[in-house]
Amino acid sequence: MTEARGSAGLNGSAHAPGTPCWVSLMVHGMAATQDFYGELFGWEFQPGPQQLGAYVRAQLDGQEVAGIGQLPPDRHLPIAWTPYLASDDVDLTAETVRHCGGTVGVGPLDAENAGRLAIASDPSGAVFGIWQAADHLGTGISDVPGTPAWNELVTRDSAGVTKFYETVFGYEEEPVASADFDYITLHIKGRPVAGIHGVGNALPRDRGPHWMTYFEVADVDAALSHVLDLGGHALEPPRDTSHGRIATVADPEGAVFSMVRTNH
């Protein structure tokens, strides 16, 4: 997890294709959601492209971190953080998604001068975005509290969808050697960029297969307490792992994410 965050794409260069380069959240209550994440992570907000409705970009120290958009009142979609995977040609990537059994639900379309995007789902139904950068290169800061630290597909069986992502994005896979832990790390040019975690019947029935975003925090236990004070919910209590201390929570609208204090 830790080694994935010195990614290409920071300091003004484009993210390598297949690299998670952005995370975005569509919500009903924009103001309340900005208040929650602003208090939790210290984010400040600037307007972004408005193609899909009102949209702001969260910033830390003037560097862009994540996006939050407004869902139309009549759209009752799941409230969920969505990672965007970098592409040099979003139209070609979207076509490959379709050929490999996935679905393209939005786009490809231009986001003003920022770039070109599509929103897709893999054959199991997990939703992800595809981003072709123009003016907007994606997340501009990492390895500090309040920034995305890792993205992980939570699914029933890792083997079932790994081939899809390898074909669409050119990942190399590295299974985790464990008899009781179904996990595959996805690599780009030898560098880990994301994971696929097969959890079998432990997959939440109300969510189905989904991508999970991990945000870096300085102190997981303190951050969890802050989440609760701000009206969020604890889903999995803090636990120590080989990658660091982790807790899984939901914001007041129900968007699930994990917080991690990584082992540096």
Side-chain angles (χ1 to χ4, degrees):
M1 200 178 287
T2 55
E3 59 268 52
R5 292 168 303 125
S7 61
L10 307 180
N11 305 319
S13 62
H15 289 76
T19 306
C21 61
W22 188 244
V23 290
S24 190
L25 175 64
M26 301 296 288
V27 299
H28 295 291
M30 282 277 286
T33 299
Q34 289 178 69
D35 288 345
F36 175 85
Y37 288 101
E39 285 288 334
L40 181 61
F41 292 140
W43 291 351
E44 298 177 339
F45 300 93
Q46 295 292 331
Q50 307 292 304
Q51 259 82 358
L52 301 178
Y55 190 83
V56 295
R57 292 180 183 151
Q59 297 184 336
L60 274 176
D61 298 325
Q63 296 289 321
E64 293 179 344
V65 174
I68 297 175
Q70 175 76 56
L71 277 172
D74 57 343
R75 296 294 295 275
H76 299 289
L77 300 174
I79 308 298
W81 280 102
T82 301
Y84 281 71
L85 308 176
S87 172
D88 287 339
D89 185 338
V90 69
D91 294 81
L92 178 60
T93 302
E95 192 61 31
T96 307
V97 165
R98 294 189 187 99
H99 282 315
C100 293
T103 303
V104 178
V106 176
L109 56 83
D110 291 323
E112 296 177 3
N113 297 323
R116 192 162 171 79
L117 68 86
I119 300 174
S121 57
D122 67 26
S124 75
V127 176
F128 60 93
I130 307 165
W131 180 253
Q132 180 181 338
D135 291 348
H136 173 57
L137 296 174
T139 303
I141 186 173
S142 68
D143 211 17
V144 298
T147 61
W150 187 247
N151 286 281
E152 179 178 284
L153 174 64
V154 182
T155 189
R156 289 183 178 83
D157 172 20
S158 65
V161 293
T162 297
K163 194 66 178 177
F164 168 84
Y165 287 98
E166 288 179 345
T167 304
V168 174
F169 293 105
Y171 296 124
E172 307 126 22
E173 67 170 273
E174 182 179 302
V176 172
S178 174
D180 58 354
F181 191 60
D182 178 9
Y183 200 96
I184 291 173
T185 305
L186 301 175
H187 291 68
I188 294 288
K189 297 179 180 178
R191 183 175 58 83
V193 297
I196 298 180
H197 187 189
V199 297
N201 292 330
L203 187 73
R205 291 187 179 182
D206 59 339
R207 300 194 64 201
H210 60 276
W211 280 88
M212 173 78 75
T213 296
Y214 290 72
F215 291 97
E216 178 87 27
V217 294
D219 183 320
V220 169
D221 298 79
L224 175 58
S225 178
H226 205 179
V227 166
L228 299 178
D229 289 343
L230 293 169
H233 309 280
L235 301 181
E236 294 184 23
R239 59 202 184 278
D240 292 315
T241 74
S242 59
H243 294 294
R245 192 159 174 80
I246 294 171
T248 302
V249 300
D251 70 18
E253 280 207 29
V256 177
F257 61 97
S258 290
M259 303 181 295
V260 57
R261 171 58 174 153
T262 56
N263 298 323
H264 294 290

